[in-house]
Amino acid sequence: MGFIYLGLAIVLELLGTTFLKYTIGFTKLTPSLVVVTAYTGAFYFLSKSLQFIDLNIAYATWAGIGVVAAAVISMLVFHESINLAGVLGMALVVSGVVLLNLYGPSH
């Protein structure tokens, strides 16, 4: 159940992060409301996930998936580019999350 909550938290965080671009510095009401609602839901579900998952695992997973997914969204939705260093950095983040999940302190 914890990873379901964590998955919902990640999806909502990505929704909020994506809509940040549309707020234009929080000058647009509708996207701003989406951001606030999505982040509120994201933190709610993250807190629920912590009832089942250690904080270090949950936060590393949230951050790692969030970084990579936000980069992919920025490329697909906003047509932003990424260089080799960015790809390498994301690979290192994912590697760290995988290692922490496989061999972290709770294992």
Side-chain angles (χ1 to χ4, degrees):
M1 193 66 185
F3 282 99
I4 292 172
Y5 287 139
L6 184 57
L8 290 169
I10 292 167
V11 167
L12 288 170
E13 188 267 335
L14 288 167
L15 177 68
T17 299
T18 301
F19 269 78
L20 271 174
K21 185 122 176 155
Y22 295 117
T23 68
I24 309 172
F26 285 99
T27 60
K28 302 293 182 187
L29 180 61
T30 301
S32 297
L33 292 174
V34 171
V35 168
V36 170
T37 303
Y39 279 136
T40 300
F43 281 106
Y44 170 77
F45 284 115
L46 178 62
S47 72
K48 295 293 285 182
S49 77
L50 295 177
Q51 294 174 329
F52 305 94
I53 305 169
D54 290 344
L55 174 62
N56 60 339
I57 301 294
Y59 197 78
T61 303
W62 158 318
I65 291 173
V67 165
V68 173
V72 170
I73 289 168
S74 73
M75 289 184 288
L76 296 176
V77 175
F78 302 116
H79 308 288
E80 297 174 355
S81 62
I82 188 166
N83 59 25
L84 183 59
V87 172
L88 178 61
M90 286 189 292
L92 291 170
V93 167
V94 169
S95 298
V97 170
V98 169
L99 287 172
L100 188 57
N101 274 281
L102 291 176
Y103 304 108
S106 65
H107 291 81

